Amino acid sequence: MALILGIETSCDETAAAVYDDNKRRILSNVLATQIDMHSMFGGVVPEIASRSHLEKIGGIVSQALKEATVSLDDIDGIGVTNQTGLMGSLLVGVCFAKGIAWVKQKKLIGINHLEGHVFSAFLGPQGGFNDELQFPYVCLSVSGGHTSLYVVHDFGNYELLGQTLDDAAGEALDKTAAILGLGYPGGPQLEKRAKEVDNADFFHYPRGKVKKDFDFSFSGLKTAVLYDLVKKGAFDLAKGIIKEGLTSELQSKVASSLQVCIADIFVDRLQRVLTLYHLVKHVVFVGGVSANKYITARLQQVSAEKGVFFWSPPLQFCGDNGAMIAFIASYKMAQGQVADFTLDAVRR
Ligand code: KG4
Ligand code: ZN
């Protein structure tokens, strides 16, 4: 039996979890979000993020152990996100994990945050292992920091088919919501507004041109929205402020058109993958943006049309979390992929 502690501090969530390899179950999953600290700035402020991680990490790890009713002595390995994220934030998690691994003589496993999301697909309701998921599966991982499409053949064996060339989809939603004067994070606000106008496409924003079939580009989207608002007398470009032309109805129509645009882009890529890869058994949607019911329903529909199962893990495992890190760390540890104390944080 192996008990794994997972630590995640790559962006603005301080998270820790315990995974029991024997029971194949997440025993605890604790998280402190920093949304309130960053919302007044309209996005994540790296310096604030790392300072807050530093304050909270000890308490969050203790809480994760307590909720799992285990002590640090019972833990066999410590998985920590050491790559892809904000440097200062990653460093807090890595240094903390190294510290306790050193003192308690535990195995240390460095985890790529994106790999954590890809395999979070195996976390089912109540943290149990999702036995129904089969390889190969297609994984669309979409958050505020990344937008990537994979074919996953096995644990540790996956192909990156495409990714965003600029902004992540969540970032595009957050930035556009900021232009519209809606709060941060923008995704949930935009989803709510879009529903008010029946998720219709009013303004048909550009779907973004890319050279490679499976890549994405979202940076033009916020500019397209911005110039459209200027044209509609709803935004003053010179002063960088909203004008009275930005009615609540217009906000909702923009939100809805944006949501449809992003969903259309995902649907297009998914149709292409499923046409090309006939052996795919499942389509999996992970990352913070998978909280969006409209986008999820659209992807679900394409999967059904192609006769492929669709799955999105419970929300607590979709956004950034420690459970996905503990889970994939258990596989790496079993394969002997443990790190030494030179483990460092890597931004990309
Ligand atoms: O995975 P996540 O929690 O953190 C990282 O960015 O890594 O994802 C956060 C992103 C934000 O951009 C947020 O606006 C978006 O997920 N998001 C949503 C929804 N809830 C969160 N986007 C669309 N609809 C939602 N309901
Ligand atoms: Zn993430």
Side-chain angles (χ1 to χ4, degrees):
M1 165 174 155
L3 283 177
I4 312 293
L5 171 68
I7 297 177
E8 156 65 42
T9 62
S10 67
C11 189
D12 60 343
E13 324 276 7
T14 316
V18 175
Y19 178 68
D20 184 331
D21 194 10
N22 193 36
K23 294 188 185 140
R24 298 213 295 176
R25 173 167 294 281
I26 296 293
L27 302 182
S28 66
N29 188 34
V30 179
L31 180 141
T33 181
Q34 303 176 0
I35 284 179
D36 288 351
M37 283 177 220
H38 301 289
S39 59
M40 65 186 288
F41 301 101
V44 177
V45 182
E47 186 62 23
I48 294 177
S50 49
R51 282 168 191 261
S52 173
H53 285 310
L54 206 52
E55 281 166 17
K56 290 180 183 149
I57 182 111
I60 291 293
V61 168
S62 299
Q63 187 66 21
L65 294 169
K66 192 171 158 206
E67 288 187 18
T69 57
V70 299
S71 77
L72 206 46
D73 293 316
D74 302 323
I75 295 290
D76 299 286
I78 302 168
V80 61
T81 305
N82 78 308
Q83 42 180 313
T84 316
L86 302 170
M87 190 41 118
S89 293
L90 287 167
L91 273 171
V92 175
V94 170
C95 292
F96 190 86
K98 276 161 98 169
I100 48 178
W102 174 267
V103 171
K104 294 282 182 182
Q105 292 296 296
K106 305 293 178 188
K107 292 198 169 93
L108 182 68
I109 308 107
I111 301 295
N112 180 327
H113 179 80
L114 300 180
E115 196 172 355
H117 276 302
V118 167
F119 293 101
S120 69
F122 282 96
L123 302 178
Q126 283 86 48
F129 185 88
N130 176 12
D131 273 315
E132 284 174 16
L133 183 62
Q134 291 176 50
F135 295 115
Y137 63 85
V138 169
C139 177
L140 180 62
S141 181
V142 189
S143 78
H146 54 85
T147 305
S148 320
L149 187 63
Y150 306 87
V151 171
V152 188
H153 301 285
D154 206 340
F155 289 108
N157 177 8
Y158 55 98
E159 282 173 71
L160 174 68
L161 297 180
Q163 60 189 330
T164 183
L165 303 175
D166 38 60
D167 289 355
E171 192 180 354
L173 290 169
D174 293 338
K175 286 178 175 171
T176 314
I179 294 171
L180 290 171
L182 303 173
Y184 173 84
Q189 306 291 336
L190 292 171
E191 178 173 23
K192 212 169 87 196
R193 291 310 201 93
K195 211 169 157 206
E196 286 170 12
V197 287
D198 299 327
N199 301 318
D201 187 10
F202 298 91
F203 306 129
H204 204 75
Y205 295 126
R207 267 53 180 160
K209 285 205 179 78
V210 286
K211 285 202 188 111
K212 288 206 302 194
D213 268 3
F214 299 122
D215 279 340
F216 305 89
S217 171
F218 294 107
S219 67
L221 203 45
K222 61 176 186 298
T223 319
V225 172
L226 184 66
Y227 281 99
D228 191 39
L229 289 176
V230 171
K231 213 168 72 191
K232 289 180 164 68
F235 197 90
D236 186 327
L237 205 53
K239 292 187 184 145
I241 53 167
I242 290 165
K243 286 170 59 174
E244 65 280 2
L246 187 65
T247 60
S248 176
E249 188 191 352
L250 182 56
Q251 278 178 321
S252 299
K253 285 182 170 175
V254 171
S256 190
S257 305
L258 186 69
Q259 192 179 255
V260 175
C261 178
I262 288 178
D264 279 357
I265 293 168
F266 290 156
V267 163
D268 170 77
R269 303 302 187 273
L270 188 55
Q271 276 170 334
R272 288 173 201 236
V273 186
L274 295 179
T275 306
L276 211 65
Y277 290 80
H278 300 286
L279 294 176
V280 163
K281 305 266 193 333
H282 264 92
V283 166
V284 169
F285 187 27
V286 297
V289 177
S290 69
N292 187 289
K293 291 199 175 62
Y294 171 79
I295 299 176
T296 299
R298 294 281 311 276
L299 297 175
Q300 213 160 7
Q301 192 185 342
V302 181
S303 309
E305 282 165 10
K306 297 276 184 187
V308 177
F309 292 112
F310 177 89
W311 163 249
S312 195
L315 273 184
Q316 59 165 326
F317 306 128
C318 266
D320 290 350
N321 65 86
M324 66 183 190
I325 303 304
F327 175 71
I328 193 64
S330 81
Y331 275 85
K332 292 206 180 279
M333 196 172 93
Q335 289 161 3
Q337 293 182 37
V338 289
D340 59 25
F341 289 103
T342 61
L343 182 74
D344 210 347
V346 182
R347 199 167 65 87
R348 270 189 190 277

